[in-house]
Structure formats: structure tokens, C-alpha cells
Amino acid sequence: MESEKTKEKASVGSTPGLFRQLACVLVISGTYLAGGTMIGWPAVLPLLYNDTSTEIEFTSYDTQWLVSIIQLPGLVTPLVAGFLMEKLGPCRLQSLCLLPTIGLWLLMAFLPTRTMLYIGRLGLGIANVMFTTVTVPLLAEISSPQIRGMLTSFSQTQFSTGLLVVYVMAKFLSWQLTTALCSAPLVFTFLFIFLVPESPYWLAKKNKDTEALQALSRLRGPDQDIKQELLRIKTGFLEQETSSLKDQFKKLKYSNNYKPIILILFVWCMSITGGQPVVFQYTVFLFKFAKVEVDPFTCTILVGLLRLLFSTISSLTVEFLGRRILYVGSGLVCGISLVLTACCLLFEVQPSWLIIVFVLVFVAGSGAGVCGMPYVLTGEVVPTAVRSLGSSLGSACYFLTSFGVLLTFPILSESIGMANCFFMFAFSNFSLAFLVWRWVPETQGRSLVELQDSFKESYEVGDTYRSLLEKQTVAIVVEGKGKTKCGVEEQNEKSRLSEQV
């Protein structure tokens, strides 16, 4: 027990396979870079509307739908993605989605008809849902506990980079070239995805222990005690083994399974109704509406820079500050900045650049925590036994809420005023900060196996470990040697589990 705690509290610099895991995360997170370009692409719409060579007549409804339709597949696709992820493996599923998505970007760029733009945005929405559902648990499952928060938060740095890149391209390039170049991150991921091993958790769940050992060896290094890590992973499955989404729905009767999923759904919902999609997808239109004295495209680039800067700061400091303090502080900053922005709009405060300042404060606060919070928590607090289901439901909640917010925002801003919309966003951010402070456990430095019992009642924890005491030590298949027992003997395993009780 003491040795395990020492390992979990090891510094980031002493993490086994640190650079191996960083390289894998860099490749996987290419889909988040692409996600940033998908979300930021509406910045090119003013250029598209002014392009007479396309001979397309656009209306205000086209703006609403071209912005929001990318979220529409989130109603169904997450459960499909969860099912396919359980069947194929998260890494393999991600690789299969890359080429079709690259093709959609190129079709939108070089066949610019209204129908193609709608089909392209809808197809990109399906791909984005797939990538989000798959990448969240995959990043958590390939990372060591000491750096899991940093690596999963790094995905938001990639997302912010995608936003910034498309904002800059929208200012200096044509909309066709910008659209075509949005496929570049996916090309990079497609070229290097073979370097990333399949999730060892998924392999262990499928009883592919030889492949799981190979994956752990590639992630941690061949000189590490990967058999002990696989033993802990397999032991975590003893309580409730499951593979299909149907089985995972049945496991929701346990409190440690349904409580974190309910919590994650609230976190997703409040983070989206806090105004993130509006600020990052209606960016140019917002600054035009506010009649700021600075070029709206320049303001948009500032938004992208701030988002990238504070997402990077968050990923570098999350392992030192802890999740809860970062997320609570982020929610409060976002709420306060939105209240000040709403007051400026309501009372027409001058000079108008004050609105830019408060919006940028919101962007900085959201980049520091609120934007990445749901992704990190989904990968950490949802137990392995229902992680595919939890990731699917979380993605569905995210995309459904985003679709509703993006589609109705123009209507609401006209009926009740944009200032009142921002007051509503502020309330959601304050509620999110309270929710995290009151119910989200600190996950810093804790293994996924340990975290799966965070939401159990005390009597359930005792029952869990007593049932584990009656089971044999996990048998692991070692290539060329048949089935052998790794780690400690059965009696030592029982003693270790008894100490945990």
C-alpha cells in the first residue's frame, strides 16, 4: 500500500514514459485541433457572403443553421460512437473516421454550393461527435495518474490552437483556402496514428492481455513493471465486468456508476449554457453587434490568442493547483465577466472597447478551466465499467445543449435583448462553480481504479472489497508462456485488499 501511494504521488518529471505519452497525446489531440477549426469556421461566413463568385444567396437563417447544424448529430451519434468504440476500440475507431472527415473539408472548399455546405457541416458534426466521444476516455486511459490531468487538459490547448488558426486564416486568406487548410490537422493525425497503441483498459476488458501488456510497454517503457499495472486494471474489472453498452446500462443501478454520470451531465449542460459556444462561434457577429471601434476580425484573433494562452497555462498548472480550485475559480471569473459585459450592453457604457476587455476576460477564464473541465472529469470520475456509456451520454448532452443554445441565441437576443442573454450565461457559470465546489471530488494524482469508488456509499465500498477477497488473483496471458499469474500471490492480494477496506 505504501509503495503504491508513493508511486501515485511521484512528480511529473519522474513519470515513467513521460515523453512516450506526450507523443501519443500530441497525435490523438490532432482531432481536437480539427475540432477547433470546425467550431471556429463560421468566422469565414462574412467572407463567404461577400464572395460573388459562388452565386449563392444567403439569408439570416443560413447563418443560424450553418453555425448550429454541426451540433445536431450529437442527438444520436454519441451512442453509436460508444457502441463502435466498445466493438472496435477507441484508437481504431478514431483512425477510421479520419479520411472521410478530410474529404468533407475539401468538398466544402472546392464544391461551394448551399447543399454541399450544409452536408459538409452536418458531416463534420458527425465526425466531431465521434472524435469527442472517443478521445475523452482514450486520453485518460493511456495516461499515468501523475500526468493525466495535464495530458487531458492539453487537448483544450489543441482545440484553442485550432480556433486561433482559423480566426487568423479568416482575416488574411480567402474562405476557400481557409476551408481547405482546415483539413491539415486530420492529415497529420492520419499519418501518425499508427504510433499510438490501443487503450490498455479496452484491451484488458476484452481479455486481450498480451496486447494490453504490449500497449503498456509502449506507453510506459519496457523497463517498467507493467504487469503490476495490468493487474490493478484487471482487478478493477472484477466487481462488474461489462463490455456492451446494454450491459453498461444495467450497471447504472450501482451508485458509484449513476452518480458520476449524472454529475457529468450537469457539468456539460452548465458549461455550455454558460455562453461558450456563442462567444466562440458568433464571435465576429457579436463584435459587429456591439459596434466596437476595433476591426471585428482583429477582435476575433485576440479571442483565439487568449483562449490558447490560458488553455496552455491550465494544462501546465492543473497537476500543481488541483482540479477543483482551478475549475471553481474559472467559473467565478466567467460569471463576473459576463455580468460586466451585460451591464455594458444594457446601459450602453462608453467607450465601447470595454466590452472587448470583459469578453476577453471571459475567454481567459473559460480557457483556464471551464472549457476543459467536462472533458477531464468525464475521463476521470466515470468508472471504467461504464466509461463508454458515460462518455456517450456526456457528448450527447454537450451537442444537444450546444445545438439549442446556438440555434436560439439570435432569436433570444432579438426578443429579450443580448444583455439579458449574457445575464443568463453568467448565472450558469456561477451555478457550475457551486456544483464543482460542492460535489466534484479532487482527482489529482489518483488512479482510475481508485476513483471508481469515489461515489460509493461506505457500506458499498466494504461489500466491493469483500467480494474481491473471494476472487482469485487475475491471470494474465504472457505471449509464448500461456496463462501465468503476475504480481503477488493470492494471499498477498487478499491482504492488500483488506488494507484498502
Side-chain angles (χ1 to χ4, degrees), residues 111-252:
L111 293 176
T113 64
R114 177 187 274 107
T115 301
M116 189 64 249
L117 290 175
Y118 274 91
I119 292 175
R121 288 291 285 174
L122 185 62
L124 291 176
I126 295 173
N128 194 33
V129 174
M130 287 284 188
F131 291 142
T132 301
T133 305
V134 169
T135 307
V136 169
L138 180 58
L139 288 176
E141 292 177 352
I142 68 173
S143 305
S144 299
Q146 302 94 327
I147 57 173
R148 188 176 59 244
M150 179 183 71
L151 295 187
T152 51
S153 298
F154 178 71
S155 62
Q156 284 304 300
T157 300
Q158 293 286 76
F159 183 91
S160 302
T161 302
L163 275 178
L164 175 60
V165 168
V166 78
Y167 290 162
V168 172
M169 290 193 299
K171 180 174 176 61
F172 296 104
L173 302 177
S174 67
W175 76 267
Q176 291 100 328
L177 184 56
T178 299
T179 304
L181 289 176
C182 284
S183 65
L186 297 172
V187 174
F188 167 81
T189 301
F190 178 76
L191 292 176
F192 294 98
I193 192 69
F194 67 90
L195 296 176
V196 181
E198 187 55 85
S199 164
Y201 281 78
W202 181 84
L203 292 169
K205 188 188 299 184
K206 298 298 182 181
N207 293 318
K208 298 182 179 182
D209 299 318
T210 303
E211 292 89 340
L213 284 172
Q214 293 172 349
L216 288 170
S217 177
R218 291 174 63 184
L219 291 168
R220 312 291 188 251
D223 56 337
Q224 300 301 315
D225 191 2
I226 55 176
K227 291 183 179 180
Q228 282 294 327
E229 182 171 356
L230 182 56
L231 174 62
R232 289 192 292 270
I233 293 173
K234 297 282 282 188
T235 302
F237 293 144
L238 290 179
E239 178 197 2
Q240 34 183 314
E241 285 191 42
T242 180
S243 56
S244 67
L245 283 179
K246 181 179 178 181
D247 292 332
Q248 293 184 38
F249 272 109
K250 295 178 181 179
K251 301 304 178 183
L252 293 181

Side-chain angles (χ1 to χ4, degrees), residues 263 266-267 270-271 274 323-336 369-370 373 377 425-440:
L263 177 64
F266 274 103
V267 169
M270 291 181 183
S271 65
R323 278 55 152 179
R324 295 178 79 248
I325 187 172
L326 195 63
Y327 296 157
V328 171
S330 173
L332 293 176
V333 169
C334 289
I336 293 171
V370 171
M373 179 198 315
L377 293 180
F425 296 156
F427 176 78
S428 289
N429 280 283
F430 290 133
S431 301
L432 178 61
F434 174 77
L435 178 71
V436 173
W437 172 76
R438 178 65 180 83
W439 283 290
V440 173

Side-chain angles (χ1 to χ4, degrees), residues 3-46:
S3 62
E4 287 184 9
K5 290 181 179 180
T6 302
K7 287 181 182 178
E8 290 177 3
K9 293 181 180 180
S11 64
V12 171
S14 62
T15 302
L18 173 62
F19 293 105
R20 292 167 177 262
Q21 294 173 58
L22 283 174
C24 291
V25 168
L26 181 63
V27 174
I28 296 171
S29 297
T31 58
Y32 277 101
L33 192 63
T37 61
M38 293 177 192
I39 298 302
W41 182 83
V44 309
L45 288 179

Side-chain angles (χ1 to χ4, degrees), residues 69-81:
I69 197 173
I70 195 173
Q71 313 293 347
L72 188 59
L75 301 176
V76 178
T77 309
L79 291 177
V80 177

